[in-house]
Amino acid sequence: MSSSALRISLRELCECEQVSRQWLVTIVEHDIVSPVSVAGEVDDWIFETRSVQWVKRAIRLHKDLELDWVAVALILELQQQREQLLLENRCLQQRLQRFLVED
């Protein structure tokens, strides 16, 4: 990841998503998102801004469907894998199209 990636502090993320510090700690403990650096105190954690979308999804699944955090983590991991596979599939289809056009 480039060093110019946008970042957000734990406090800012809590304020943005209107959740407690403990909820974000729980989300990190379940590997739903990871801080860029875990050195120092929890209050010093910094996240990449792309983590915000996963925090939003986690909170929504937990609140709306009343899922426990283990289930939330599993669902989001499957969603991330699906997104990655769709991206890879798109890239491979583009490569294939180049070969088909050349023939």
Side-chain angles (χ1 to χ4, degrees):
M1 173 74 28
S2 74
S3 61
S4 64
L6 297 176
R7 302 212 167 138
I8 186 170
S9 71
L10 177 99
R11 184 185 54 76
E12 292 168 328
L13 191 51
C14 287
E15 288 174 8
C16 177
E17 296 308 316
Q18 299 177 344
V19 296
S20 70
R21 175 184 177 271
Q22 184 54 47
W23 270 40
L24 283 178
V25 170
T26 300
I27 289 170
V28 169
E29 287 173 348
H30 286 87
D31 292 326
I32 295 169
V33 296
S34 297
V36 175
S37 173
V38 291
E41 298 295 318
V42 171
D43 292 325
D44 297 331
W45 286 354
I46 302 293
F47 299 85
E48 291 182 359
T49 53
R50 67 179 183 189
S51 297
V52 173
Q53 73 172 334
W54 296 107
V55 170
K56 285 180 188 252
R57 290 178 185 182
I59 292 167
R60 189 164 182 197
L61 286 168
H62 182 71
K63 284 183 176 179
D64 292 354
L65 299 179
E66 299 177 3
L67 297 175
D68 66 17
W69 290 112
V70 173
V72 170
L74 178 61
I75 289 168
L76 292 178
E77 180 181 347
L78 292 172
Q79 283 183 342
Q80 288 173 342
Q81 288 177 1
R82 179 182 179 272
E83 287 182 11
Q84 183 62 36
L85 289 170
L86 288 171
L87 180 63
E88 288 175 21
N89 188 6
R90 233 177 283 128
C91 290
L92 291 171
Q93 285 178 347
Q94 289 174 350
R95 283 185 188 173
L96 180 60
Q97 284 300 321
R98 283 186 293 198
F99 288 116
L100 294 176
V101 170
E102 290 176 4
D103 289 343

